[in-house]
Amino acid sequence: MTDSGRTDSREHYFTARPATADERRPLDVTLAGRRVRVEVAPGIFSPGGLDKGTAVLLEEVPDPPPSGRFVDLGCGWGPIALTLGLLSEHAEIVGVDVNERSVELTNRNASALGLDHVRAVTPDAVADETAYDLIWSNPPIRIGKTALHELLRTWLPRLTPEGVAYLVVQKNLGSDSLQRWVESDLRMPCTRHASSKGFRVLEVRHP
């Protein structure tokens, strides 16, 4: 996988159990204005650093509320979930990923940073009735339109009545068509919150 989050033909970061060697290495990165050291490994999304889309999301979204229930959908090694944890110490934050290596890394990184209010799980560990005040996500566009729509159809309706979701999507990978789909299929208000460096940040509200 490259730093942009792309994979080669042998494996995808959305594999539940990556076949590549689980070779951990440290990574120094700035999250929430703080220089931190995290652990990364091959076979996950963007192990070489902070993905460009994720960086745009973190730069453009409003600060999260001090408390509430938040989810990072597609957490990878945890940059979004960890940022939420650093900014909102009284919130309950969960990172979700089908990749079990990603889940383990996010949990290890949260523990190393003393963020005991941040945890990561696979999707089947989350109860269907769980509602969220905030969703931040760099969704896995490359899983294909059908799978992506099913993912968002599962999670976006879990917003609380006052909840909001922010999704970052590369413009040339269909951000505008995804915005139209959210509005027409899910019937949820979806607006362009920001546009930067070839990415759109979409804001989704409870209907």
Side-chain angles (χ1 to χ4, degrees), residues 17-132:
R17 295 182 177 86
T20 51
D22 190 2
E23 298 172 348
R24 307 297 174 89
R25 70 176 185 85
L27 173 70
D28 292 320
V29 64
T30 300
L31 300 175
R34 172 178 161 185
R35 196 69 176 168
V36 298
R37 173 161 288 189
V38 298
E39 192 175 62
V40 296
I44 65 169
F45 178 67
S46 197
L50 193 62
D51 172 76
K52 291 180 180 178
T54 299
V56 168
L57 179 77
L58 296 178
E59 289 169 3
E60 298 293 344
V61 292
D63 285 346
S67 62
R69 183 179 287 140
F70 309 157
V71 65
D72 166 11
L73 187 56
C75 61
W77 53 263
I80 294 174
L82 298 175
T83 297
L84 286 167
L86 290 167
L87 293 174
S88 301
E89 62 181 20
H90 300 296
E92 176 189 339
I93 298 152
V94 61
V96 176
D97 207 299
V98 298
N99 187 315
E100 295 174 2
R101 188 176 296 172
S102 293
V103 169
E104 182 187 357
L105 283 167
T106 296
N107 282 325
R108 288 173 63 90
N109 289 332
S111 178
L113 295 176
L115 303 175
D116 57 6
H117 57 304
V118 176
R119 65 187 178 94
V121 297
T122 54
D124 57 357
V126 180
D128 292 342
E129 64 274 12
T130 305
Y132 294 95

Side-chain angles (χ1 to χ4, degrees), residues 16 33 46 56 81 83 85 87 99 117 120 133 143 150 162 178 187 190:
S46 197
V56 168
T83 297
L87 293 174
N99 187 315
H117 57 304
D133 303 297
I143 62 176
E150 185 60 31
E162 301 301 322
L178 183 64
R187 300 190 181 280
C190 183

